[in-house]
Short mmCIF file of all heavy atoms in Angstrom, two decimals:
data_model
loop_
_atom_site.label_atom_id
_atom_site.label_comp_id
_atom_site.label_asym_id
_atom_site.label_seq_id
_atom_site.Cartn_x
_atom_site.Cartn_y
_atom_site.Cartn_z
N LYS A 75 67.37 119.83 -178.07
CA LYS A 75 66.38 119.96 -179.10
C LYS A 75 65.57 118.71 -179.33
O LYS A 75 64.35 118.76 -179.47
CB LYS A 75 67.00 120.43 -180.40
CG LYS A 75 67.50 121.84 -180.42
CD LYS A 75 68.20 122.21 -181.70
CE LYS A 75 68.68 123.62 -181.64
NZ LYS A 75 69.35 124.04 -182.91
N ILE A 76 66.25 117.60 -179.34
CA ILE A 76 65.55 116.27 -179.49
C ILE A 76 64.56 116.01 -178.37
O ILE A 76 63.43 115.68 -178.58
CB ILE A 76 66.57 115.14 -179.65
CG1 ILE A 76 67.34 115.30 -180.90
CG2 ILE A 76 65.87 113.78 -179.56
CD1 ILE A 76 68.54 114.37 -181.01
N VAL A 77 65.01 116.23 -177.13
CA VAL A 77 64.17 115.94 -175.96
C VAL A 77 62.99 116.89 -175.94
O VAL A 77 61.86 116.44 -175.69
CB VAL A 77 65.04 116.07 -174.64
CG1 VAL A 77 64.15 116.07 -173.40
CG2 VAL A 77 66.07 114.90 -174.58
N LEU A 78 63.19 118.16 -176.19
CA LEU A 78 62.07 119.13 -176.15
C LEU A 78 61.07 118.81 -177.30
O LEU A 78 59.88 118.91 -177.08
CB LEU A 78 62.58 120.52 -176.22
CG LEU A 78 63.43 120.99 -175.06
CD1 LEU A 78 63.94 122.42 -175.26
CD2 LEU A 78 62.64 120.92 -173.75
N THR A 79 61.58 118.38 -178.44
CA THR A 79 60.67 118.05 -179.53
C THR A 79 59.92 116.72 -179.23
O THR A 79 58.76 116.57 -179.53
CB THR A 79 61.47 117.90 -180.86
OG1 THR A 79 62.18 119.15 -181.05
CG2 THR A 79 60.57 117.68 -182.04
N ALA A 80 60.65 115.80 -178.60
CA ALA A 80 60.01 114.53 -178.14
C ALA A 80 58.89 114.85 -177.16
O ALA A 80 57.84 114.24 -177.17
CB ALA A 80 61.03 113.63 -177.53
N ASP A 81 59.14 115.79 -176.26
CA ASP A 81 58.10 116.20 -175.26
C ASP A 81 56.87 116.68 -175.99
O ASP A 81 55.73 116.27 -175.61
CB ASP A 81 58.60 117.29 -174.35
CG ASP A 81 59.59 116.81 -173.30
OD1 ASP A 81 59.78 115.61 -173.18
OD2 ASP A 81 60.19 117.72 -172.65
N THR A 82 57.00 117.45 -177.01
CA THR A 82 55.90 117.92 -177.81
C THR A 82 55.17 116.75 -178.48
O THR A 82 53.90 116.70 -178.43
CB THR A 82 56.34 118.98 -178.87
OG1 THR A 82 57.00 120.01 -178.23
CG2 THR A 82 55.19 119.48 -179.71
N PHE A 83 55.92 115.82 -179.05
CA PHE A 83 55.31 114.68 -179.69
C PHE A 83 54.46 113.88 -178.66
O PHE A 83 53.32 113.51 -178.93
CB PHE A 83 56.34 113.73 -180.30
CG PHE A 83 55.77 112.46 -180.92
CD1 PHE A 83 55.28 112.55 -182.24
CD2 PHE A 83 55.72 111.31 -180.20
CE1 PHE A 83 54.75 111.36 -182.73
CE2 PHE A 83 55.13 110.18 -180.71
CZ PHE A 83 54.62 110.23 -182.05
N ILE A 84 55.05 113.66 -177.48
CA ILE A 84 54.35 112.91 -176.41
C ILE A 84 53.09 113.68 -176.01
O ILE A 84 52.00 113.05 -175.84
CB ILE A 84 55.23 112.67 -175.25
CG1 ILE A 84 56.36 111.76 -175.60
CG2 ILE A 84 54.45 112.14 -174.03
CD1 ILE A 84 55.93 110.34 -176.07
N THR A 85 53.18 114.97 -175.90
CA THR A 85 51.95 115.77 -175.51
C THR A 85 50.93 115.69 -176.52
O THR A 85 49.72 115.50 -176.19
CB THR A 85 52.38 117.27 -175.32
OG1 THR A 85 53.38 117.38 -174.26
CG2 THR A 85 51.21 118.16 -174.96
N GLU A 86 51.27 115.64 -177.81
CA GLU A 86 50.29 115.52 -178.87
C GLU A 86 49.77 114.15 -179.08
O GLU A 86 48.75 113.95 -179.80
CB GLU A 86 50.88 116.06 -180.20
CG GLU A 86 51.23 117.49 -180.20
CD GLU A 86 51.89 118.00 -181.47
OE1 GLU A 86 52.13 117.14 -182.40
OE2 GLU A 86 52.14 119.18 -181.58
N ASN A 87 50.48 113.12 -178.55
CA ASN A 87 50.11 111.69 -178.76
C ASN A 87 50.07 110.94 -177.44
O ASN A 87 50.62 109.85 -177.35
CB ASN A 87 51.15 111.08 -179.72
CG ASN A 87 51.10 111.72 -181.09
OD1 ASN A 87 50.25 111.41 -181.94
ND2 ASN A 87 52.00 112.72 -181.29
N ARG A 88 49.51 111.54 -176.43
CA ARG A 88 49.45 110.94 -175.07
C ARG A 88 48.93 109.46 -175.04
O ARG A 88 49.35 108.70 -174.24
CB ARG A 88 48.67 111.74 -174.08
CG ARG A 88 49.32 113.03 -173.73
CD ARG A 88 48.87 113.53 -172.34
NE ARG A 88 49.49 114.74 -171.98
CZ ARG A 88 50.64 114.80 -171.39
NH1 ARG A 88 51.33 113.69 -171.12
NH2 ARG A 88 51.20 115.96 -171.08
N ASP A 89 47.98 109.21 -175.93
CA ASP A 89 47.44 107.83 -176.03
C ASP A 89 48.44 106.80 -176.23
O ASP A 89 48.31 105.62 -175.83
CB ASP A 89 46.34 107.77 -177.07
CG ASP A 89 46.81 108.23 -178.47
OD1 ASP A 89 47.48 109.26 -178.54
OD2 ASP A 89 46.53 107.49 -179.45
N LEU A 90 49.57 107.08 -176.91
CA LEU A 90 50.56 106.07 -177.15
C LEU A 90 51.27 105.63 -175.82
O LEU A 90 51.79 104.48 -175.77
CB LEU A 90 51.70 106.67 -178.07
CG LEU A 90 51.31 106.84 -179.53
CD1 LEU A 90 52.42 107.60 -180.27
CD2 LEU A 90 51.10 105.47 -180.15
N LEU A 91 51.26 106.46 -174.77
CA LEU A 91 51.87 106.11 -173.55
C LEU A 91 51.18 104.95 -172.83
O LEU A 91 51.80 104.25 -171.99
CB LEU A 91 51.93 107.34 -172.59
CG LEU A 91 52.86 108.44 -173.00
CD1 LEU A 91 52.73 109.63 -172.11
CD2 LEU A 91 54.36 107.91 -173.03
N GLN A 92 49.93 104.72 -173.20
CA GLN A 92 49.24 103.52 -172.60
C GLN A 92 49.90 102.26 -173.11
O GLN A 92 50.10 101.33 -172.28
CB GLN A 92 47.76 103.58 -172.96
CG GLN A 92 47.01 104.73 -172.30
CD GLN A 92 45.59 104.85 -172.68
OE1 GLN A 92 45.00 103.91 -173.36
NE2 GLN A 92 44.96 105.91 -172.33
N LYS A 93 50.19 102.18 -174.36
CA LYS A 93 50.84 100.95 -174.86
C LYS A 93 52.36 100.97 -174.77
O LYS A 93 52.99 99.93 -174.59
CB LYS A 93 50.42 100.83 -176.35
CG LYS A 93 50.90 99.47 -176.94
CD LYS A 93 50.32 99.27 -178.35
CE LYS A 93 50.72 97.92 -178.87
NZ LYS A 93 50.17 97.65 -180.19
N TYR A 94 52.92 102.17 -174.82
CA TYR A 94 54.37 102.33 -174.79
C TYR A 94 54.72 103.34 -173.68
O TYR A 94 54.97 104.49 -173.91
CB TYR A 94 54.92 102.83 -176.13
CG TYR A 94 54.45 102.02 -177.32
CD1 TYR A 94 53.45 102.54 -178.12
CD2 TYR A 94 54.97 100.73 -177.57
CE1 TYR A 94 53.04 101.80 -179.22
CE2 TYR A 94 54.55 100.04 -178.61
CZ TYR A 94 53.57 100.52 -179.48
OH TYR A 94 53.13 99.78 -180.53
N PRO A 95 54.81 102.87 -172.40
CA PRO A 95 54.96 103.82 -171.28
C PRO A 95 56.42 104.33 -171.08
O PRO A 95 56.61 105.19 -170.28
CB PRO A 95 54.55 102.98 -170.05
CG PRO A 95 54.80 101.57 -170.53
CD PRO A 95 54.56 101.50 -171.92
N PHE A 96 57.37 103.76 -171.80
CA PHE A 96 58.79 104.19 -171.63
C PHE A 96 59.29 104.91 -172.87
O PHE A 96 58.88 104.67 -173.95
CB PHE A 96 59.67 103.01 -171.28
CG PHE A 96 59.18 102.26 -170.08
CD1 PHE A 96 58.60 101.00 -170.20
CD2 PHE A 96 59.36 102.81 -168.78
CE1 PHE A 96 58.12 100.32 -169.08
CE2 PHE A 96 58.94 102.15 -167.70
CZ PHE A 96 58.34 100.93 -167.81
N ILE A 97 60.23 105.84 -172.62
CA ILE A 97 60.84 106.63 -173.70
C ILE A 97 62.33 106.34 -173.73
O ILE A 97 62.98 106.18 -172.76
CB ILE A 97 60.58 108.08 -173.45
CG1 ILE A 97 59.07 108.36 -173.52
CG2 ILE A 97 61.35 108.95 -174.44
CD1 ILE A 97 58.69 109.77 -173.10
N ARG A 98 62.83 106.22 -174.99
CA ARG A 98 64.27 106.01 -175.21
C ARG A 98 64.76 106.90 -176.31
O ARG A 98 64.08 107.19 -177.29
CB ARG A 98 64.46 104.53 -175.59
CG ARG A 98 65.85 104.07 -175.52
CD ARG A 98 65.92 102.54 -175.73
NE ARG A 98 65.90 102.25 -177.18
CZ ARG A 98 65.52 101.08 -177.71
NH1 ARG A 98 65.08 100.12 -176.92
NH2 ARG A 98 65.56 100.89 -178.97
N TYR A 99 66.04 107.32 -176.18
CA TYR A 99 66.72 108.18 -177.17
C TYR A 99 67.89 107.39 -177.73
O TYR A 99 68.80 107.11 -177.02
CB TYR A 99 67.19 109.48 -176.52
CG TYR A 99 66.08 110.27 -175.87
CD1 TYR A 99 65.76 110.18 -174.54
CD2 TYR A 99 65.20 111.10 -176.69
CE1 TYR A 99 64.76 110.88 -173.98
CE2 TYR A 99 64.19 111.82 -176.14
CZ TYR A 99 63.97 111.70 -174.77
OH TYR A 99 62.91 112.41 -174.19
N ASP A 100 67.78 107.10 -179.02
CA ASP A 100 68.86 106.34 -179.72
C ASP A 100 69.55 107.29 -180.74
O ASP A 100 68.94 108.28 -181.23
CB ASP A 100 68.27 105.16 -180.48
CG ASP A 100 67.68 104.10 -179.57
OD1 ASP A 100 67.72 104.26 -178.33
OD2 ASP A 100 67.15 103.12 -180.09
N ILE A 101 70.77 106.89 -181.07
CA ILE A 101 71.48 107.57 -182.17
C ILE A 101 71.87 106.51 -183.14
O ILE A 101 72.45 105.46 -182.73
CB ILE A 101 72.72 108.36 -181.67
CG1 ILE A 101 72.33 109.42 -180.67
CG2 ILE A 101 73.52 108.91 -182.87
CD1 ILE A 101 73.48 110.18 -180.02
N ALA A 102 71.58 106.71 -184.38
CA ALA A 102 71.99 105.74 -185.47
C ALA A 102 73.14 106.42 -186.30
O ALA A 102 72.93 107.51 -186.85
CB ALA A 102 70.82 105.42 -186.32
N GLU A 103 74.24 105.70 -186.36
CA GLU A 103 75.33 106.16 -187.23
C GLU A 103 75.30 105.34 -188.50
O GLU A 103 75.21 104.16 -188.48
CB GLU A 103 76.67 105.95 -186.54
CG GLU A 103 76.87 106.68 -185.21
CD GLU A 103 78.20 106.30 -184.57
OE1 GLU A 103 78.35 105.11 -184.21
OE2 GLU A 103 79.02 107.18 -184.42
#
Side-chain angles (χ1 to χ4, degrees):
K75 288 178 182 181
I76 293 167
V77 169
L78 295 177
T79 306
D81 286 351
T82 301
F83 178 84
I84 293 299
T85 299
E86 293 177 359
N87 297 278
R88 287 204 179 277
D89 55 314
L90 287 173
L91 290 174
Q92 293 176 10
K93 187 170 182 181
Y94 309 105
F96 302 107
I97 295 171
R98 193 173 84 204
Y99 302 96
D100 294 359
I101 298 173
E103 299 176 296

